[in-house]
Amino acid sequence: MPALYLFNRRTLLAGDDLQLPSIAWGAGFAAELFIFLPYLLFYTIELTLTTSATPDANDDYFAEFDQQIQRMQTQECDNATSGYTDKTFCYLNLAYQAGMAIFCVVSLFYEQRILKLSTLGTPTRGLELRASLGTLIERKMTFLTALNFILLVFGLSSTLHFLSPYLYCFPKFFWIVVFILFVIQGLQCLFNITTLFSLWRASPST
């Protein structure tokens, strides 16, 4: 297959070489979207709905629901939220998770398009079908990487700022998932940024 050109630079890759990486990247985004984010969202919403009120045991309709919502009614959470009146971290976390969900959906769409285009044509025919492949990858490596980096900085800074008061409010596994998510984002950004830097150092094709 002919070499793939990115930013007017010739790479060592051809379209066929992108299929397995595209599947791997898509699997990573799918894990973030369907495993990590729902888990974090569950506990974030649970704390957001928690109040200092005592569940009304006389109200049969809402009693069981109240008991489920108030599971995070602990002394640690009370201290962290100033008596459940300050939910700033919850709102910041929800904003981060919403941004990550949008980013993952868009990234999955890009990976699906890259995978589909990389399978079109043959070594000698139908190469025009892959004409937009380079543009897709360029957008992925610029706009999507920039969005991912912004979300990483936003999520990491807000988490570090509120980590001390909220550390014992959420389960330990919650913070493990947060750490894994940040590591995955960091590796994604690092890979794309180093690739962009390598392309920038290469001489443009004439």
Side-chain angles (χ1 to χ4, degrees), residues 39-53 68-94 97 162 165-171 174-175:
Y39 178 84
L40 299 180
L41 184 63
F42 173 81
Y43 283 102
T44 304
I45 291 179
E46 191 171 36
L47 180 57
T48 303
L49 297 177
T50 300
T51 66
S52 59
Q68 292 293 323
I69 292 299
Q70 305 294 49
R71 285 188 304 174
M72 300 186 75
Q73 196 181 67
T74 63
Q75 186 61 48
E76 290 81 3
C77 291
D78 184 85
N79 296 336
T81 58
S82 300
Y84 302 100
T85 59
D86 183 6
K87 306 289 182 67
T88 304
F89 178 64
C90 295
Y91 303 142
L92 291 174
N93 219 354
L94 288 173
Q97 292 164 13
F162 290 97
Y166 281 85
L167 182 60
Y168 297 104
C169 184
F170 290 99
F174 177 92
W175 299 112

Side-chain angles (χ1 to χ4, degrees), residues 4 11 60 76 82 116 118 175:
L4 179 68
T11 70
D60 295 334
E76 290 81 3
S82 300
K116 182 178 180 180
S118 65
W175 299 112

Side-chain angles (χ1 to χ4, degrees), residues 1-4 13-16 118 120-125 127 130:
M1 283 291 185
L4 179 68
L13 300 175
D16 291 344
S118 65
L120 298 178
T122 66
T124 58
R125 300 177 59 186
L127 296 180
R130 301 185 181 185

Side-chain angles (χ1 to χ4, degrees), residues 145-165:
T145 299
L147 176 58
N148 196 19
F149 181 76
I150 292 172
L151 288 169
L152 174 60
V153 172
F154 174 74
L156 189 59
S157 59
S158 60
T159 299
L160 291 177
H161 180 75
F162 290 97
L163 180 62
S164 180

Side-chain angles (χ1 to χ4, degrees), residues 30-43:
E32 292 177 83
L33 181 62
F34 298 112
I35 299 177
F36 298 140
L37 288 177
Y39 178 84
L40 299 180
L41 184 63
F42 173 81
Y43 283 102

Side-chain angles (χ1 to χ4, degrees), residues 161-206:
H161 180 75
F162 290 97
L163 180 62
S164 180
Y166 281 85
L167 182 60
Y168 297 104
C169 184
F170 290 99
K172 290 182 179 179
F173 194 68
F174 177 92
W175 299 112
I176 294 176
V177 173
V178 169
F179 176 77
I180 294 174
L181 188 58
F182 286 157
V183 169
I184 292 176
Q185 280 188 268
L187 291 176
Q188 290 169 345
C189 290
L190 180 63
F191 178 84
N192 285 333
I193 291 174
T194 53
T195 302
L196 286 172
F197 182 71
S198 298
L199 289 171
W200 174 76
R201 293 183 59 188
S203 301
S205 300
T206 56

